[in-house]
Amino acid sequence: MKSAIRILPVIMAGGSGNRLWPLSREQFPKQFLQLIDERSLLQNTALRAQGLPEALPPLLVCGEAHRFIVAEQLRQVEIAPSAILLEPEGRNSGPAAAVAAHWASEHHGPDTLLFLMAADHVIDDLALFAAALREAVPPAVAGQIVTFGVVPQRPETGYGYIQAGEPLAEGGRRIARFVEKPALELAQQYLADGGYFWNSGMFLFRADTLLQELSVFEPEMSHYAQLALLEA
């Protein structure tokens, strides 16, 4: 990757705490728990992001109720974030990505690459993780919104699926379609057919690419996301 490329990891650390109850709860969702090792899922995600080539300090998006937990957990692993953006109410990943894109465009430039990451993923092979990101950079720089598929290990009805399409000149493959949490019979068929991947929920895109798409498909969301930043 060229040194001029700037990648801003955006860690989405919201959550309602209704999974893994009673360990996880509303005021302490699972991303703050030490489920795998001596660090929380959030801490491992932040360290993983910091270790990526050309990465800026991560941008955190979390609920207002969790601001001090996030700040303290990052302090414990000696990570100073670019900023912590607070959501008064959880609105899923779309508005979080919109706010992050506006913030990145203002602070680092519209061509900044945003790497949208969930705070609760577990990734063991960090070298392969970094290699996948390197492969995703050229199409993202060229204006594509890149997502990362996971080779399915079983027919799973709890995940969304990506059907891969034709190869792109910049690398990777075009997405033929998304399928949200299919029934078991359909998931079994996807596994047998091949060419389908679990949707990881991670995305790489230029700030201006996402903002352009939002101006077409979700202009109101983009407007209020920018307004929220200006009023913060």
Side-chain angles (χ1 to χ4, degrees):
M1 283 185 277
K2 298 178 181 179
S3 58
I5 293 173
R6 300 176 305 282
I7 298 177
L8 178 66
V10 178
I11 302 176
M12 298 180 294
S16 59
N18 56 7
R19 297 182 183 180
L20 300 184
W21 186 90
L23 288 177
S24 174
R25 51 200 185 277
E26 184 176 357
Q27 294 301 315
F28 207 79
K30 65 180 182 299
Q31 64 266 24
F32 304 131
L33 297 173
Q34 298 168 331
L35 297 177
I36 305 301
D37 53 31
E38 72 280 1
R39 293 184 292 268
S40 73
L41 298 180
L42 169 64
Q43 289 172 326
N44 279 328
T45 300
L47 289 168
R48 188 161 59 243
Q50 183 175 260
L52 293 170
E54 312 301 338
L56 297 163
L59 176 68
L60 276 290
V61 183
C62 70
E64 193 165 6
H66 303 138
R67 61 189 300 180
F68 297 112
I69 299 173
V70 168
E72 174 59 19
Q73 289 206 350
L74 293 179
R75 186 197 66 79
Q76 289 171 359
V77 293
E78 300 181 344
I79 291 179
S82 289
I84 299 176
L85 304 181
L86 304 178
E87 298 177 305
E89 294 183 29
R91 285 292 183 264
N92 295 320
S93 57
V99 169
H102 281 295
W103 188 94
S105 184
E106 178 182 347
H107 289 83
H108 295 295
D111 61 343
T112 304
L113 293 180
L114 276 69
F115 186 25
L116 204 65
M117 311 169 68
D120 58 359
H121 284 172
V122 176
I123 298 175
D124 294 324
D125 193 333
L126 299 185
L128 187 60
F129 175 69
L133 178 64
R134 285 194 296 270
E135 187 176 345
V137 166
V141 169
Q144 303 288 342
I145 296 177
V146 182
T147 188
F148 297 79
V150 178
V151 177
Q153 304 300 312
R154 60 186 182 276
E156 174 60 60
T157 61
Y159 299 152
Y161 282 72
I162 302 167
Q163 183 183 16
E166 70 272 17
L168 293 168
E170 304 88 358
R173 297 170 67 178
R174 190 171 298 279
I175 293 173
R177 61 172 177 154
F178 286 99
V179 181
E180 184 61 27
K181 298 178 181 176
L184 179 59
E185 184 177 349
L186 196 53
Q188 290 171 331
Q189 187 63 52
Y190 291 162
L191 200 63
D193 290 347
Y196 287 85
F197 300 86
W198 288 337
N199 181 15
S200 71
M202 294 186 292
F203 297 88
L204 184 71
F205 48 81
R206 287 171 52 130
D208 54 1
T209 296
L210 184 69
L211 294 177
Q212 174 60 34
E213 294 299 315
L214 289 175
S215 72
V216 174
F217 296 103
E218 290 287 351
E220 189 174 18
M221 178 206 295
S222 182
H223 168 72
Y224 283 110
Q226 185 176 32
L227 190 62
L229 278 176
L230 293 174
E231 293 182 348

